[in-house]
Amino acid sequence: STAISTDMAQMFLDQGFELSLHLNTLCQPYNYTTLDLQLSQQMNTFTNTFPNLPAPSTHRTHCIVWSDWATKPKLEILNGIRLNTDYYYWPASWVKDRPGMFTGSGMPMRFSDLDGTIYDNYQVTTQMTDESGLTLPSFVNTLMDNALGEKGYYGVFCANYHTDIHSDTDPVTIGARAIVNAARAKDVPVISSKQ
């Protein structure tokens, strides 16, 4: 339902961005059958809406419903998705504007099943969101300084900012730009999830 034309989608693709499905489970718990149906129906709608785009290889779910151990990564793999960014540093009342890696790591890790089976699908924790009450650029500067300095807190610091508003005065756009500008000032690469 995002108001974006196929021409605009192509423009973003040409600039190196990936456009992907934002699966909506209606914020309800799922099982293998219901999630498989939702994912296949919504991927089909995405493909029909944007026939010029390649199939998504990364994914983020609306409402971040996670009903069991490994159904989602298994179904993502079947749909060509190999990176999931569902797990994130939120809500603001818990984060309290404290920079850090709430899982203790900033490294993407492969999903595994209860029996130890490892899947070729990675989870990267989203450390920065426009929903978590973060003060930017100090938050991202702290993450990068701790990674670049002697502490060695290395990581992939994923950000999720709803930049579809496209207003230079919008706080979300300002926040997203603050992250990019802080990274550029420290010569830290900023890449898309697909990259």
Side-chain angles (χ1 to χ4, degrees):
S1 63
T2 300
I4 183 172
S5 68
T6 54
D7 289 341
M8 187 175 279
Q10 184 64 49
M11 177 193 74
F12 284 121
L13 180 66
D14 293 344
Q15 293 178 19
F17 293 96
E18 178 194 23
L19 280 75
S20 183
L21 173 68
H22 190 51
L23 179 69
N24 189 347
T25 63
L26 303 176
C27 305
Q28 298 298 310
Y30 58 78
N31 59 39
Y32 190 96
T33 303
T34 60
L35 188 64
D36 186 31
L37 181 64
Q38 291 167 335
L39 193 54
S40 61
Q41 286 176 338
Q42 291 176 45
M43 284 290 269
N44 189 47
T45 299
F46 181 87
T47 302
N48 290 334
T49 303
F50 303 109
N52 57 319
L53 297 181
S57 59
T58 68
H59 181 241
R60 182 181 196 84
T61 306
H62 182 68
C63 290
I64 318 289
V65 174
W66 199 275
S67 295
D68 64 19
W69 190 261
T71 291
K72 192 177 287 181
K74 286 190 251 184
L75 286 171
E76 287 175 335
I77 290 169
L78 292 175
N79 284 276
I81 294 167
R82 297 198 43 242
L83 183 75
N84 177 295
T85 63
D86 280 357
Y87 201 42
Y88 74 116
Y89 204 32
W90 176 87
S93 60
W94 290 0
V95 175
K96 297 183 180 179
D97 201 21
R98 292 174 295 192
M101 296 178 276
F102 76 112
T103 63
S105 172
M107 302 308 255
M109 293 187 259
R110 286 169 52 177
F111 285 101
S112 64
D113 213 331
L114 292 171
D115 65 2
T117 301
I118 296 185
Y119 297 110
D120 196 19
N121 186 355
Y122 287 78
Q123 178 183 61
V124 63
T125 301
T126 302
Q127 306 291 357
M128 296 171 284
T129 77
D130 56 6
E131 303 165 317
S132 298
L134 311 180
T135 301
L136 295 169
S138 65
F139 191 96
V140 68
N141 278 328
T142 300
L143 288 176
M144 289 187 295
D145 289 344
N146 287 341
L148 297 169
E150 58 187 51
K151 289 183 179 177
Y153 295 160
Y154 313 116
V156 173
F157 305 125
C158 182
N160 180 47
Y161 273 70
H162 298 83
T163 57
D164 48 344
I165 297 168
H166 299 298
S167 164
D168 288 338
T169 58
D170 176 67
V172 172
T173 302
I174 292 167
R177 286 196 178 135
I179 291 170
V180 172
N181 291 338
R184 291 177 80 185
K186 296 178 185 299
D187 202 25
V188 171
V190 177
I191 61 173
S192 69
S193 291
K194 185 175 183 178
Q195 290 169 307

